[in-house]
């Protein structure tokens, strides 16, 4: 099982970050610009909800769906892949009060590559680096959007 983790401080309270990320109907907000995500299906944000997308990334097109496994608002959300390109994939997001109206957002992705040795080689050469880049880019985009929201833009 491979693990990728990234944390950053967002200049909104945990309640505001939770609302911003999960309740405003904009799951795609945190995706980097090179992702082309078309939401195919979703439902209310609660445990058991399945969200489906059609993802375009670096010339690849695939269907992706996750199920919401756990919610402890506004501190914690856990989703896992139901259908996708990995043998298994899970994202845990933790939102901790960081003082002065800010939040420490922690993302932890655990995944298992398909294709045995070939998949492990792809992980070593490409996937782990791209996963970290994706998490970093996601946090940067969330921080930018949060700043705009805080400044009324």
């Amino acid at each position: 099982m491979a693990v990728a983790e990234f944390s950053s401080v967002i200049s909104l309270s945990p309640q505001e970050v939770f609302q911003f990320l999960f309740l405003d109907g904009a799951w795609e907000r945190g995706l980097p610009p090179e992702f082309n995500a078309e939401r195919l299906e979703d439902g209310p944000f609660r445990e058991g909800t399945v969200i489906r997308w059609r993802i375009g990334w670096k010339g690849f097109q695939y269907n992706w769906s996750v199920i919401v496994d756990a919610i402890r608002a506004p501190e914690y959300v856990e989703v896992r892949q139901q259908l996708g390109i990995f043998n298994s994939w899970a994202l845990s997001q933790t939102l901790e009060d960081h003082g002065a109206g800010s939040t420490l957002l922690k993302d932890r992705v655990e995944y298992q590559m398909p294709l045995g040795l070939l998949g492990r080689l792809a992980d070593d050469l490409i996937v782990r680096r791209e996963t970290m880049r994706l998490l970093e880019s996601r946090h940067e985009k969330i921080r930018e959007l949060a700043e705009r929201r805080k400044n009324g833009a």
Side-chain angles (χ1 to χ4, degrees), residues 121-138:
L121 181 61
D123 186 39
D124 288 345
L125 295 175
I126 301 167
V127 176
R128 189 176 318 243
R129 182 178 60 244
E130 285 297 307
T131 301
M132 284 304 298
R133 191 188 62 72
L134 172 66
L135 291 176
E136 290 175 26
S137 176
R138 177 180 185 277

Side-chain angles (χ1 to χ4, degrees), residues 2-6 32 34-35 57-58 64 85-86 89-91 107-111 113 122-123 125-139:
V3 175
E5 296 178 298
F6 193 79
E34 66 268 19
F35 271 77
W57 179 69
K58 294 195 176 204
W64 176 273
I85 60 174
F86 296 96
W89 181 94
L91 169 66
D107 283 354
R108 177 183 172 92
V109 177
E110 296 181 13
Y111 62 95
M113 294 293 295
D123 186 39
L125 295 175
I126 301 167
V127 176
R128 189 176 318 243
R129 182 178 60 244
E130 285 297 307
T131 301
M132 284 304 298
R133 191 188 62 72
L134 172 66
L135 291 176
E136 290 175 26
S137 176
R138 177 180 185 277
H139 278 242

Side-chain angles (χ1 to χ4, degrees), residues 59-70:
F60 294 100
Q61 294 281 323
Y62 56 93
N63 289 331
W64 176 273
S65 68
V66 297
I67 186 166
V68 179
D69 277 339

Side-chain angles (χ1 to χ4, degrees), residues 21 38 49 53 60 70-71 85 109 124:
L21 290 177
E38 174 190 359
T49 295
W53 292 279
F60 294 100
I71 302 170
I85 60 174
V109 177
D124 288 345

